Amino acid sequence: MINLLKMDFYRMLHTRAAWIILFVTMMFAGFSMSMGKSDSATTYDNSNKVELSEESIQMSFGIYVNTPQSVDGTQPALLEYWKNA
């Protein structure tokens, strides 16, 4: 069993595809780190310029549902379906 694992690791380390995948992964990691570093620098620069007070921050959470109205607009159309059922 150990020989099978050794064989698989040897084959994995000596194939061209494994090295290409490793290189591409390292490139993506480097790009991600550079973007994160520039983003944190930008955020730090902008944090000194913006001053927010608790009074100016308004957040509302919830779900907005637009129900279709009946022809005359007095009640939701769904109530008309329940009355007729």
Side-chain angles (χ1 to χ4, degrees), residues 34-83:
S34 68
M35 293 303 290
K37 195 172 201 178
S38 67
D39 184 44
S40 65
T42 305
T43 303
Y44 179 73
D45 291 341
N46 289 339
S47 65
N48 295 332
K49 296 177 184 175
V50 178
E51 294 181 15
L52 296 175
S53 65
E54 290 184 22
E55 298 168 355
S56 66
I57 298 174
Q58 295 179 359
M59 292 184 171
S60 60
F61 296 99
I63 299 173
Y64 177 73
V65 179
N66 189 9
T67 58
Q69 298 291 322
S70 63
V71 176
D72 58 357
T74 57
Q75 63 182 355
L78 186 60
L79 295 176
E80 292 178 6
Y81 294 124
W82 281 344
K83 288 180 184 176

